[in-house]
Amino acid sequence: MITAKNITVTTTTKKNTSIIEIINNKIEKEQENSFGITILFVMVSTMISSIAIGLALHKGFSFLIVTISSVTAMGTNAAAFSQRAFKYVVWLGIISIITNALLVIFQLPKLF
């Protein structure tokens, strides 16, 4: 007779996860730091948006770029100030930062 005590068998499977699932898991882990992260997203989103709008006003006026930059930045600010769920603030912040960064890169040749 063979006896064994305290044997634990664990199996791990590597599952392919999408970038959305990775971000959502990170949001759940950082829930306790939500106040600081929300402030960071508001500041960075507004900063990049103001650069994009400044470039849109340089040597002419681009209504489309000003509109997109304003709406994305103010969407993040409105979600944060209305105390929406942390998940919404993070996703709106990510969308705003990526969109406005692409608009800044798109407009950089305008400076020269």
Side-chain angles (χ1 to χ4, degrees):
M1 181 169 169
I2 299 174
T3 61
K5 292 184 180 182
N6 299 329
I7 295 177
T8 305
V9 178
T10 59
T11 59
T12 57
T13 58
K14 193 169 188 178
K15 187 172 83 170
N16 291 333
T17 57
S18 68
I19 188 74
I20 294 172
E21 291 175 5
I22 293 170
I23 292 172
N24 284 336
N25 291 336
K26 187 69 174 170
I27 290 170
E28 289 176 15
K29 289 179 185 175
E30 295 297 328
Q31 191 71 30
E32 62 191 33
N33 299 325
S34 63
F35 186 71
I37 295 171
T38 298
I39 292 173
L40 185 67
F41 270 115
V42 167
M43 288 178 9
V44 171
S45 156
T46 304
M47 177 192 65
I48 296 174
S49 175
S50 66
I51 294 170
I53 291 173
L55 288 172
L57 298 175
H58 182 69
K59 293 183 182 176
F61 178 74
S62 176
F63 182 74
L64 182 64
I65 293 174
V66 170
T67 303
I68 292 172
S69 292
S70 299
V71 167
T72 56
M74 292 312 295
T76 303
N77 294 351
F81 296 147
S82 66
Q83 299 178 351
R84 299 294 297 171
F86 180 57
K87 187 175 185 178
Y88 296 124
V89 176
V90 171
W91 276 108
L92 287 171
I94 290 171
I95 291 169
S96 176
I97 290 170
I98 291 173
T99 303
N100 288 314
L102 290 174
L103 288 174
V104 167
I105 292 169
F106 173 73
Q107 296 181 86
L108 280 179
K110 199 178 198 183
L111 290 175
F112 305 108

